[in-house]
Amino acid sequence: MPQIPPLPSFRGRGRTAPTPHRIPVPTARAIIDCAVYVDGHRLPGRFTHAEALAEVRERAAGFVWVGLHAPDQTQMDDVARTFDLHELAAEDAVHARQRPKLERYDDVLFLVLRTVKYVEHDLHAVSEIVETGEIMIFMGRDFVITVRHGEHTGLHGVRHDLEDRPERLALGPGAVLHAIADHVVDSYLSVTQEVEDDVEEMEEAVFTPRSRLTTEAVYQLKREVVELRRAVNPLALPLQTLSRSTDLPLPKEIRRYLRDVADHHTAAAERISDFDEMLSALINAVLAKVSVQQNTDMRKISAWVAIAAVPTMTAGIYGMNFDYMPELHWRYGYPLVWAIILVVCGGLLYMLRRNHWL
């Protein structure tokens, strides 16, 4: 029989599935604000990040502040080429979930800050309590670039407050770095105060009779405190380095302000450590309360079983089919048995209540 040759594939020889083409998004879509500051005052007009840097270097005075929100790799590469940022730092700025740190690339400082926000919630429910985000700061001789991830801890208010204080902005990009660090650390103190209120409310609920507080709710708060500690505590070393190292390109006045920020950070970190210990004690208290409640329930059950055993035993004895049993054919035998049952059960009830078993 003749064989039919195989038909060619409709896809063609050597063809592969088409890869989706990603449309690049302009860098301007990620830039929240871009401004030039000279002698502490903002220059009028709108600038792109390249135009702003050219304006500053042409004047040989002032600095550029570029604020970005969640840029992608292409947008960040564009900014990195303009300001000559190191590729490793630019890559870190794109990918969130970085650990708080301070790195130096020649004359550029790269600072990572974790931001936190308290989420309103039901104390007795298992839900998210602390929301985290990130702010990355690139600080050079004549520029500062902020990259923010997350929908909270915006920097519009920080920029507005600095623009109202030109004498502070006149100190250069270091003033912006200090203002952002101070703003973030102040948010730490605010969140720790909210968490402290939750811990105190849980303490009160644990020792309140018939409270519906569960071990899961306490454990959820403990997990959120651990997340808060991971966001806050690693910032201690970068703040100490910024406030004490004379090798960094920071004015002496800015280092003095950063020492105050470091003190506030230490206070927030100590309070978070206290929360961890208090919540561990609360979990033990809740478990102990559950054990005590179970023992109480078992005592009550045992007490009622003891009372019910009296009529059960009596009925079992007189339910036996014997002809010769005391008081079996006596006229007052039945009420006498009931009287004995009630007296014995009443005596047991009195004794058990007196001993707080019921």
Side-chain angles (χ1 to χ4, degrees):
M1 294 291 292
Q3 294 183 353
I4 300 176
L7 295 176
S9 172
F10 287 104
R11 296 180 58 181
R13 182 174 297 178
R15 293 180 61 185
T16 58
T19 58
H21 180 67
R22 184 175 181 179
I23 301 176
V25 180
T27 306
R29 300 285 288 275
I31 295 178
I32 304 300
D33 199 355
C34 178
V36 176
Y37 298 94
V38 178
D39 295 329
H41 297 278
R42 179 170 181 162
L43 296 185
R46 299 176 63 89
F47 300 89
T48 65
H49 59 287
E51 293 171 348
L53 184 61
E55 178 71 20
V56 167
R57 293 183 175 173
E58 182 179 352
R59 289 172 174 264
F63 67 93
V64 182
W65 182 359
V66 181
L68 298 97
H69 180 259
D72 59 24
Q73 190 66 56
T74 303
Q75 295 167 339
M76 195 64 214
D77 288 343
D78 182 22
V79 175
R81 284 191 299 268
T82 302
F83 291 90
D84 194 22
L85 305 178
H86 197 278
E87 60 180 355
L88 293 178
E91 183 180 355
D92 288 344
V94 174
H95 305 288
R97 309 299 296 180
Q98 297 293 323
R99 191 175 185 270
K101 61 182 179 179
L102 175 66
E103 296 178 346
R104 183 174 183 177
Y105 298 92
D106 296 329
D107 294 332
V108 177
L109 293 180
F110 178 55
L111 177 65
V112 178
L113 304 167
R114 293 288 299 276
T115 59
V116 296
K117 177 187 177 183
Y118 179 80
V119 180
E120 295 293 338
H121 63 283
D122 183 7
L123 182 66
H124 303 283
V126 178
S127 61
E128 185 181 24
I129 300 172
V130 178
E131 180 182 348
T132 60
E134 289 183 35
I135 295 178
M136 290 87 162
I137 304 174
F138 296 88
M139 195 198 78
R141 179 180 56 84
D142 52 6
F143 66 86
V144 58
I145 302 170
T146 57
V147 182
R148 182 168 59 90
H149 292 271
E151 300 300 328
H152 62 278
T153 318
L155 300 178
H156 177 74
V158 176
R159 186 187 290 264
H160 181 73
D161 291 341
L162 281 175
E163 290 176 354
D164 289 340
R165 305 177 66 181
E167 71 282 358
R168 183 69 63 85
L169 272 177
L171 296 175
V176 178
L177 185 145
H178 160 261
I180 296 174
D182 186 49
H183 174 66
V184 171
V185 172
D186 284 346
S187 70
Y188 292 166
L189 293 173
S190 176
V191 170
T192 54
Q193 182 60 52
E194 297 285 352
V195 174
E196 184 177 3
D197 293 340
D198 282 348
V199 173
E200 291 178 353
E201 190 173 351
M202 279 190 172
E203 281 184 323
E204 183 179 353
V206 165
F207 300 103
T208 300
R210 299 181 181 179
S211 172
R212 60 187 184 94
L213 183 66
T214 61
T215 310
E216 291 80 3
V218 182
Y219 186 73
Q220 175 68 18
L221 181 56
K222 183 176 175 61
R223 288 188 60 186
E224 295 296 313
V225 167
V226 171
E227 180 70 18
L228 183 61
R229 184 176 59 191
R230 290 174 180 172
V232 174
N233 287 13
L235 187 59
L237 182 58
L239 288 178
Q240 293 295 333
T241 303
L242 287 170
S243 61
R244 295 180 180 179
S245 177
T246 57
D247 297 333
L248 299 179
L250 285 171
K252 183 178 180 180
E253 189 68 18
I254 295 299
R255 291 202 303 272
R256 290 175 179 172
Y257 286 121
L258 285 170
R259 283 198 292 269
D260 182 66
V261 176
D263 291 340
H264 291 172
H265 176 270
T266 301
E270 289 177 352
R271 294 173 71 178
I272 293 172
S273 299
D274 293 340
F275 297 157
D276 195 17
E277 296 177 2
M278 294 169 65
L279 288 171
S280 297
L282 275 182
I283 290 177
N284 293 332
V286 171
L287 294 177
K289 185 178 179 181
V290 171
S291 299
V292 170
Q293 184 62 43
Q294 289 177 345
N295 291 335
T296 302
D297 293 340
M298 287 302 299
R299 287 197 305 177
K300 289 183 179 180
I301 294 172
S302 301
W304 286 114
V305 168
I307 294 174
V310 175
T312 302
M313 181 183 65
T314 305
I317 292 174
Y318 280 91
M320 293 185 293
N321 298 320
F322 291 107
D323 290 333
Y324 301 102
M325 293 184 66
E327 294 84 26
L328 187 63
H329 300 287
W330 186 37
R331 179 178 180 181
Y332 300 102
Y334 179 74
L336 178 63
V337 169
W338 267 111
I340 294 173
I341 291 175
L342 292 177
V343 168
V344 174
C345 289
L348 287 174
L349 182 63
Y350 172 77
M351 292 176 58
L352 292 172
R353 285 188 173 177
R354 185 178 180 182
N355 294 326
H356 304 288
W357 279 54
L358 287 175

